């Protein structure tokens, strides 16, 4: 059994879009932390939600001044 490709498109329902953003951003930040640890890389990640809220991540060795 093979996996089917899903079509990437904007989610119409606002609440479903917010839930997906929340779950996806947690995964994205986790992957950034893993990449920083495994590859000894300095990473900074800035994400703005649809409401304009700022989410940020930086590796511990990387100096990052908060924009908020």
């Amino acid at each position: 059994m093979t996996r089917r490709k899903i079509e990437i498109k904007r989610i119409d329902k606002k609440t479903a879009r917010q839930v997906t953003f929340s779950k996806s951003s947690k995964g994205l930040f986790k992957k950034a932390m893993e990449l920083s640890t495994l590859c000894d890389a300095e990473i900074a990640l800035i994400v703005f939600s649809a409401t304009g809220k700022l989410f940020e991540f930086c590796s511990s060795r990387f100096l990052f001044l908060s924009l908020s």
Side-chain angles (χ1 to χ4, degrees), residues 2 17 28 41 53:
T2 61
R17 188 169 51 243
L28 180 63
K53 188 173 178 184

Side-chain angles (χ1 to χ4, degrees), residues 20-44:
T20 302
F21 173 81
S22 177
K23 289 179 180 180
S24 297
S25 63
K26 285 179 186 177
L28 180 63
F29 286 107
K30 183 178 177 182
K31 288 293 184 181
M33 185 173 56
E34 289 174 2
L35 181 63
S36 172
T37 303
L38 292 173
C39 300
D40 197 28
E42 295 181 359
I43 296 176

